C-alpha cells in the first residue's frame, strides 16, 4: 500500500510541476520588456536625487553617456533631451499599465498555480514523512542484520570447537574401546587367518596408544589396561608357538626349508609385534632360528662337500708335476704313479668352460647322480658347484634375515655371520687343506676367477654378506697360485738340457707345456686382469726363452739350431694366438723372435747353393758405396763361374731347398712361409747381381749374355712355391 501511495503522490507532483512550469513560461514571455524601446535609457542608471552623489562620478557618467551611440545621434540631430526624457517616461508608464493588465488577466492562472504549488508542498511533505519512516525501518533492519551476523559467527565458532572436541574424543574413545570382535578373534582364531592378522594390527595400535596415554597420566587408560595386557599375552603366546613350530619343521630330514621361510615372511608382522611388545620372546625366537639354521647349513654343506670330493679325478698333480720336469724322470719304488700325461696339467682344454655364464650359474652337481653315471670332474668344477650353492643359499638367507628380523647394515651382517659362520669356517678349513697340497696351477687360477665372478654377482645383487668370505678365499688362493708358478719357473731355470733325452729339432715338450699354460692363463686373465699374473708370466717367459736358447746350443750346426728355435717359437706363437689377444705381450715377443730367426735361417739355406753369388753381390755393393768397384774388374773368371753355375743348377737347388725346408719344419704353414721368403730373397740377390753387372766396369764382359732374364726367373720360381 505504501508503494502505491508513493507512486500516486509522485504522479500528482509531476503533473502539478509540469502545469506550473508551463504557466511560468507563459508569464515570462508576457512580462519580457521591449529591449529595443528601452535601449536608449542608459541614463536611468544614475540616481540624480541622492544626497550622496559625487560630482566627479557625475562627470564620469556624463562622459560615458556621451560616448553612447544614441546620445551621439541625438546631439547630432539636435533633439531636445528633456522632451526625449519625457517621452521615455511616458513609454515606461504605458508599458507598466500594459503589464498590470496582463497580470490581472492572468490572475486566475496565478491563483491556480499557487494552489498547485501548495498541493505539491503537501504531497512532498507526506512523501518526506514516508521516506523518513522507511529510513528508520532500514536503520532498524541494519542493526538486526548486524546482530544476526554476530550471532552466526559465534555459533560457527562454537560448532567448530564442538567438532574438534568431538573428533578428539571420538578418536580417544575408539582407541580406548576394545571391541568384542577383537577379543574373540585374538582368543579363538588361528594365527594364520587374515582376520587374526588384522586384529593383531589393531591390538598393536591400542597398546601403543595406551602407552602414550599412560605417559600423559590419562585416567581413562586404567580402564582398558588390564584387558589389553591379557590380549597381548594371549597373542604373544600364540605367535610364539606358531613361529617355533615353523622353525622346528626345518629340522625334519629332507625338508625344503625355503617353504617354511616363505610362510614366515608372509607373517613378518608377528616378529615385529613381539619385538615391540615382548623382547624376551623375540630374542628366544631369534636365537632358536639362528641355532637351527646354523646346524642345518653346516650339516648340509659338510655332507655335500664330502660327496663332491668322491667324484673328483683320482689323478691329481703333485710336487713333481712341474713344467721343467722331464718326462723320462723316474720316481722311487714307493712313490705313487705319475699322471698318464703330464701335459694335461698345463692344458686348459674344456676346463675353461666353467667360467662361461651358462656354466658359472648353472645347476649345481648332484653327487649321487654323478657317482651312478661314473662321472669324474676336475677340482674347479666341484669348487664352482660348492660355492654357487653357497652363493645362492647365502643371498637368500641374507634377504630373509633382513626382511623377517628387520635388521640392516652391520646388524644384518652380524646376524648372517651367526647363521652361516660355522659353514664359512668349514669351507675355509677345507680350502686351506686342499690348497696346501695342490700343484695344479690352472685349477687354482680357475678357482680364483670363479670367486671374482661370484663376488661380482653378489655386488650386482647388492648382497654384502659374503664379501669377507670372498676376500678370505682369495687370500688363500693367490699366494698358492704364485707359489706354484714360481716353482714352475724355478724348475725351468734348473733344467739340464743333457738330461732331457735325445736332441730333436721338433718343438720340445717343455715349450709346449709353457705355450699351453701361458695361453690358458692369458685367456682366463683377460676378463679380470691382474698385474701380479702378468709379472709372473713375464718371468716365466724369460726363463722359457733362456731354456730354448740353451737347448738350441746343444745342436752342433747353426742350421739345426735355427730349425729348433723356429719350430719352438712357431709352436708357442700358434698356441698363444688361439686363445690370447693378438696384441698381448707374449704374442708380440714371440712374433719378433720368430721373424728374426726365420730371416737368419733363410740366409743360412741360401748360402749353400748360392753362397758365391750372394758373397759377390754383398762385396760389390760395399765397394760401390766406397766408389771402388773397379777393384773387381779382374774377377772375370769368378763372374763367369757364378753366372754359368747359377744358370745350370738353380732349378735343382730351389727344388732341394723346398724339400729340405718342408722336412725340417713341423708346421706346413710356417715351412711354406720360409720357402716363399727364401725364394723372394733369392730373386732380390739375383736382381742385385744383375744390377752390379750392368755397371760400366762389367759391361764389356761377354758372359753377361748368359744371364737369365729376371722376369723369366720370377715366373719359373713361382712354379716352385708349394701350395697347401
Amino acid at each position: 500500500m505504501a508503494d502505491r501511495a508513493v507512486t500516486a503522490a509522485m504522479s500528482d507532483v509531476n503533473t502539478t510541476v509540469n502545469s506550473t512550469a508551463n504557466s511560468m513560461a507563459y508569464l515570462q514571455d508576457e512580462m519580457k520588456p521591449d529591449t529595443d524601446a528601452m535601449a536608449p535609457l542608459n541614463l536611468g542608471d544614475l540616481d540624480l536625487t541622492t544626497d550622496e552623489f559625487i560630482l566627479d562620478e557625475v562627470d564620469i557618467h556624463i562622459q560615458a553617456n556621451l560616448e553612447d551611440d544614441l546620445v551621439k545621434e541625438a546631439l547630432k540631430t539636435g533633439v531636445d533631451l528633456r522632451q526625449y526624457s519625457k517621452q521615455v517616461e511616458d513609454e515606461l508608464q504605458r508599458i507598466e499599465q500594459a503589464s498590470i493588465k496582463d497580470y490581472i488577466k492572468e490572475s486566475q492562472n496565478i491563483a491556480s498555480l499557487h494552489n498547485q504549488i501548495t498541493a505539491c508542498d503537501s504531497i512532498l511533505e507526506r512523501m518526506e514523512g514516508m521516506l523518513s519512516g522507511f529510513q528508520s525501518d532500514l536503520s532498524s533492519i541494519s542493526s538486526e542484520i548486524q546482530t544476526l551476523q554476530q550471532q552466526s559467527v559465534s555459533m560457527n565458532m562454537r560448532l567448530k570447537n564442538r567438532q574438534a572436541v568431538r573428533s578428539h574424543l571420538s578418536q580417544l574413545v575408539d582407541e580406548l574401546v576394545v571391541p568384542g570382535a577383537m577379543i574373540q578373534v585374538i582368543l579363538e582364531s588361528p594365527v594364520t587367518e587374515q582376520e587374526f592378522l588384522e586384529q593383531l594390527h589393531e591390538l598393536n595400535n591400542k597398546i601403543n596408544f595406551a602407552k602414550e596415554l599412560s605417559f600423559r597420566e590419562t585416567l581413562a587408560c586404567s580402564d582398558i589396561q588390564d584387558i589389553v595386557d591379557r590380549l597381548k599375552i594371549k597373542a604373544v603366546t600364540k605367535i610364539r608357538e606358531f613361529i617355533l613350530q615353523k622353525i622346528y619343521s626345518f629340522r625334519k630330514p629332507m625338508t625344503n626349508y625355503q617353504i617354511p621361510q616363505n610362510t614366515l615372511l608372509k607373517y613378518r608382522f608377528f616378529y615385529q609385534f613381539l619385538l615391540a611388545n615382548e623382547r624376551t620372546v623375540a630374542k628366544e625366537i631369534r636365537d632358536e632360528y639362528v641355532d637351527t639354521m646354523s646346524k642345518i647349513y653346516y650339516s648340509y654343506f659338510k655332507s655335500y662337500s664330502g660327496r663332491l670330493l668322491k667324484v673328483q679325478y683320482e689323478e691329481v698333480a703333485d710336487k713333481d708335476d712341474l713344467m721343467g720336469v722331464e718326462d723320462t724322470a723316474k720316481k722311487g719304488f714307493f712313490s705313487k704313479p705319475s699322471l698318464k700325461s703330464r701335459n694335461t696339467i698345463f692344458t686348459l682344454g674344456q676346463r675353461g668352460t666353467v667360467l662361461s655364464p651358462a656354466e658359472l650359474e648353472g645347476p649345481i652337481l648332484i653327487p649321487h647322480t654323478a657317482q651312478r653315471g661314473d662321472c669324474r670332474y676336475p677340482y674347479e668344477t666341484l669348487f664352482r658347484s660348492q660355492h654357487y650353492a653357497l652363493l645362492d643359499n647365502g643371498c637368500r638367507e641374507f634377504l630373509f634375515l633382513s626382511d623377517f628380523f628387520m635388521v640392516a647394515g652391520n646388524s644384518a651382517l652380524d646376524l648372517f655371520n651367526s647363521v652361516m659362520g660355522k659353514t664359512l669356517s668349514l669351507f675355509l678349513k677345507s680350502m686351506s687343506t686342499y690348497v696346501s697340497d695342490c700343484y695344479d696351477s690352472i685349477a687354482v687360477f680357475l678357482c680364483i676367477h670363479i670367486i671374482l665372478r661370484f663376488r661380482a654377482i653378489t655386488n650386482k645383487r647388492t648382497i654384502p654378506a659374503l664379501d669377507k668370505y670372498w676376500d678370505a678365499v682369495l687370500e688363500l688362493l693367490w699366494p698358492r697360485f704364485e707359489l706354484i708358478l714360481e716353482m714352475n719357473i724355478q724348475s725351468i731355470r734348473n733344467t739340464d738340457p743333457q738330461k732331457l733325452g735325445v736332441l730333436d729339432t721338433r718343438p720340445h715338450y717343455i715349450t709346449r707345456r709353457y705355450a699351453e699354460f701361458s695361453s690358458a692363463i692369458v685367456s682366463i686373465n683377460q676378463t679380470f686382469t691382474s698385474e701380479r699374473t702378468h709379472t709372473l708370466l713375464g718371468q716365466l717367459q724369460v726363463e722359457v726363452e733362456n731354456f730354448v736358447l740353451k737347448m738350441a746350443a746343444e745342436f752342433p750346426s747353426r742350421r739345426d739350431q735355427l730349425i729348433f728355435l723356429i719350430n719352438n717359437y712357431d709352436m708357442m706363437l700358434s698356441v698363444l694366438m688361439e686363445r690370447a689377444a693378438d696384441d698381448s705381450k707374449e704374442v708380440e715377443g714371440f712374433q719378433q723372435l720368430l721373424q728374426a730367426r726365420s730371416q737368419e735361417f733363410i740366409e743360412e739355406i741360401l748360402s749353400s747353393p748360392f753362397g758365391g753369388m750372394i758373397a759377390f753381390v754383398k762385396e760389390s755393393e760395399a765397394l760401390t758405396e766406397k766408389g771402388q768397384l773397379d777393384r773387381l774388374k779382374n774377377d772375370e773368371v769368378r763372374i763367369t763361374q757364378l753366372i754359368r753355375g747359377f744358370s745350370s743348377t738353380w732349378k735343382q737347388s730351389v727344388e732341394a731347398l723346398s724339400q729340405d725346408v718342408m722336412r725340417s719344419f713341423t708346421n706346413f704353414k710356417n715351412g711354406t712361409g720360409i720357402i716363399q721368403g727364401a725364394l723372394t730373397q733369392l730373386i732380390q740377390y739375383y736382381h742385385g747381381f744383375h744390377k752390379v753387372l750392368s755397371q760400366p766396369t762389367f759391361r764389356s764382359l761377354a758372359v753377361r749374355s748368359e744371364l737369365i732374364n729376371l722376369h723369366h726367373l720370377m715366373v719359373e720360381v713361382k712354379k716352385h712355391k708349394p701350395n697347401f
Side-chain angles (χ1 to χ4, degrees), residues 25 90 119 151 425 486 497 519 591 600 621 641 650 655 658 661 693 704:
D90 293 341
Q151 292 177 355
S425 299
E486 290 172 357
S519 64
Q591 282 178 338
E600 184 180 353
E621 289 177 349
Q641 292 177 351
W650 75 269
E655 184 67 29
S658 299
V661 169
L693 295 181
R704 288 181 69 249

Side-chain angles (χ1 to χ4, degrees), residues 449-693:
H449 278 263
I450 288 172
I451 294 298
L452 292 175
R453 284 162 173 78
F454 281 168
R455 184 168 65 181
I457 292 173
T458 55
N459 290 337
K460 185 177 180 180
R461 297 180 183 179
T462 63
I463 304 295
L466 293 171
D467 288 350
K468 291 184 178 180
Y469 174 75
W470 301 140
D471 294 338
V473 174
L474 291 176
E475 288 176 1
L476 285 174
L477 295 177
W478 271 117
R480 188 63 186 181
F481 173 72
E482 294 173 356
L483 176 62
I484 299 173
L485 207 54
E486 290 172 357
M487 292 174 64
N488 281 285
I489 293 172
Q490 188 65 35
S491 70
I492 295 176
R493 184 182 296 125
N494 298 335
T495 299
D496 185 359
Q498 296 181 355
K499 296 181 180 180
L500 297 180
V502 181
L503 291 176
D504 192 346
T505 58
R506 291 175 296 180
H508 200 273
Y509 59 83
I510 290 181
T511 58
R512 178 170 292 279
R513 291 174 187 172
Y514 162 76
E516 294 287 351
F517 177 77
S518 181
S519 64
I521 299 301
V522 170
S523 63
I524 295 171
N525 198 50
Q526 286 177 352
T527 305
F528 293 88
T529 57
S530 169
E531 290 301 324
R532 292 190 294 180
T533 304
H534 285 304
T535 302
L536 291 172
L537 285 179
Q539 297 176 7
L540 180 62
Q541 182 179 351
V542 171
E543 294 300 329
V544 170
E545 292 175 2
N546 294 335
F547 165 75
V548 173
L549 293 175
K550 287 193 298 182
M551 288 297 300
E554 296 294 319
F555 291 92
S557 66
R558 182 59 181 168
R559 179 179 176 278
D560 290 340
Q561 292 177 1
L562 292 174
I563 292 174
F564 178 80
L565 291 174
I566 292 172
N567 277 330
N568 281 274
Y569 291 152
D570 177 66
M571 181 273 299
M572 289 188 287
L573 183 62
S574 300
V575 174
L576 283 170
M577 292 184 67
E578 289 179 2
R579 297 184 180 274
D582 294 341
D583 58 349
S584 65
K585 181 180 178 181
E586 293 79 9
V587 172
E588 292 179 352
F590 285 116
Q591 282 178 338
Q592 295 174 0
L593 291 172
L594 178 62
Q595 185 177 1
R597 296 295 174 262
S598 297
Q599 188 62 36
E600 184 180 353
F601 179 75
I602 289 172
E603 296 290 340
E604 182 72 22
I605 60 176
L606 290 177
S607 64
S608 178
F610 308 108
M613 182 189 68
I614 294 172
F616 178 78
V617 170
K618 291 181 178 179
E619 183 181 358
S620 300
E621 289 177 349
L623 293 173
T624 301
E625 292 179 358
K626 298 177 181 179
Q628 302 175 359
L629 188 61
D630 292 341
R631 294 173 57 181
L632 298 176
K633 65 181 180 179
N634 297 325
D635 289 348
E636 182 178 355
V637 176
R638 178 186 176 190
I639 294 172
T640 301
Q641 292 177 351
L642 291 176
I643 293 175
R644 291 175 179 174
F646 183 84
S647 301
S648 61
T649 63
W650 75 269
K651 289 186 179 180
Q652 295 84 352
S653 299
V654 168
E655 184 67 29
L657 181 148
S658 299
Q659 293 177 0
D660 183 40
V661 169
M662 297 310 297
R663 286 194 302 268
S664 299
F665 298 102
T666 56
N667 186 350
F668 286 163
K669 184 178 179 180
N670 183 41
T672 302
I674 291 177
I675 292 175
Q676 292 178 354
L679 296 178
T680 301
Q681 189 67 29
L682 175 63
I683 292 174
Q684 290 179 354
Y685 280 131
Y686 198 70
H687 178 264
F689 190 55
H690 265 267
K691 187 176 180 181
V692 170
L693 295 181

Side-chain angles (χ1 to χ4, degrees), residues 320-381:
D320 295 323
D321 294 318
L322 299 175
M323 196 175 297
V325 176
E326 60 274 14
D327 280 340
T328 57
K330 296 182 179 180
K331 298 187 177 182
F333 181 78
F334 295 102
S335 63
K336 66 179 182 180
S338 177
L339 292 175
K340 294 179 180 178
S341 177
R342 184 175 282 108
N343 290 334
T344 57
I345 302 173
F346 309 101
T347 303
L348 184 62
Q350 297 299 318
R351 299 170 71 180
T353 57
V354 73
L355 298 178
S356 64
E359 182 72 19
L360 190 68
E361 300 184 54
I364 63 174
L365 292 177
I366 309 299
H368 64 271
T369 303
Q371 284 180 318
R372 192 181 304 122
D374 198 21
C375 297
R376 291 292 182 268
Y377 301 94
Y379 179 77
E380 64 271 9
T381 301

Side-chain angles (χ1 to χ4, degrees), residues 187-435:
L187 295 178
E188 300 178 1
S189 296
V191 296
T192 55
E193 295 291 336
Q194 181 63 26
E195 58 179 356
F196 180 86
L197 185 60
E198 294 174 356
Q199 294 299 332
L200 188 65
H201 277 279
E202 292 295 328
L203 177 61
N204 189 57
N205 292 335
K206 292 186 181 300
I207 293 173
N208 294 332
F209 190 73
K211 291 179 181 179
E212 182 181 353
L213 292 181
S214 64
F215 292 143
R216 299 178 184 177
E217 298 182 356
T218 304
L219 297 178
C221 178
S222 59
D223 295 339
I224 63 165
Q225 190 65 49
D226 182 60
I227 189 171
V228 168
D229 290 341
R230 292 182 180 181
L231 288 176
K232 181 182 72 173
I233 294 172
K234 183 62 177 180
V236 167
T237 303
K238 295 177 70 173
I239 291 172
R240 175 182 176 277
E241 293 176 356
F242 172 75
I243 296 178
L244 289 178
Q245 181 183 3
K246 291 298 179 184
I247 294 174
Y248 294 151
S249 66
F250 296 166
R251 303 176 180 178
K252 296 179 181 179
M254 306 301 292
T255 299
N256 184 359
Y257 59 85
Q258 297 175 10
I259 295 176
Q261 274 187 340
N262 294 334
T263 303
L264 288 177
L265 285 177
K266 290 173 58 179
Y267 302 103
R268 63 174 65 87
F269 181 72
F270 288 172
Y271 185 79
Q272 181 180 350
F273 180 83
L274 295 177
L275 194 63
N277 299 288
E278 197 63 50
R279 287 185 174 271
T280 304
V281 177
K283 184 178 183 303
E284 177 191 2
I285 289 176
R286 176 170 167 170
D287 293 343
E288 191 66 33
Y289 178 84
V290 168
D291 181 66
T292 299
M293 292 307 298
S294 176
K295 292 178 180 178
I296 289 175
Y297 281 125
Y298 180 81
S299 174
Y300 167 74
F301 280 106
K302 182 179 181 181
S303 173
Y304 182 68
S305 300
R307 292 177 181 178
L308 281 179
L309 292 177
K310 294 180 181 179
V311 295
Q312 184 182 1
Y313 281 131
E314 296 180 357
E315 295 180 350
V316 294
D318 59 18
K319 62 182 179 180
D320 295 323
D321 294 318
L322 299 175
M323 196 175 297
V325 176
E326 60 274 14
D327 280 340
T328 57
K330 296 182 179 180
K331 298 187 177 182
F333 181 78
F334 295 102
S335 63
K336 66 179 182 180
S338 177
L339 292 175
K340 294 179 180 178
S341 177
R342 184 175 282 108
N343 290 334
T344 57
I345 302 173
F346 309 101
T347 303
L348 184 62
Q350 297 299 318
R351 299 170 71 180
T353 57
V354 73
L355 298 178
S356 64
E359 182 72 19
L360 190 68
E361 300 184 54
I364 63 174
L365 292 177
I366 309 299
H368 64 271
T369 303
Q371 284 180 318
R372 192 181 304 122
D374 198 21
C375 297
R376 291 292 182 268
Y377 301 94
Y379 179 77
E380 64 271 9
T381 301
L382 309 180
F383 181 88
R384 196 279 320 173
S385 181
Q386 182 186 40
H387 281 79
Y388 186 70
L390 175 65
L391 181 148
D392 193 37
N393 286 276
C395 290
R396 185 182 294 107
E397 184 63 30
F398 181 79
L399 292 175
F400 173 82
L401 294 174
S402 301
D403 196 1
F404 185 78
F405 292 103
M406 297 179 298
V407 289
N410 292 330
S411 299
L413 294 177
D414 292 341
L415 183 59
F416 177 82
N417 290 329
S418 300
V419 175
M420 300 292 294
K422 291 176 63 177
T423 302
L424 299 180
S425 299
L426 172 68
F427 273 37
L428 290 175
K429 184 178 180 180
S430 174
M431 283 294 303
S432 179
T433 303
Y434 167 77
V435 166

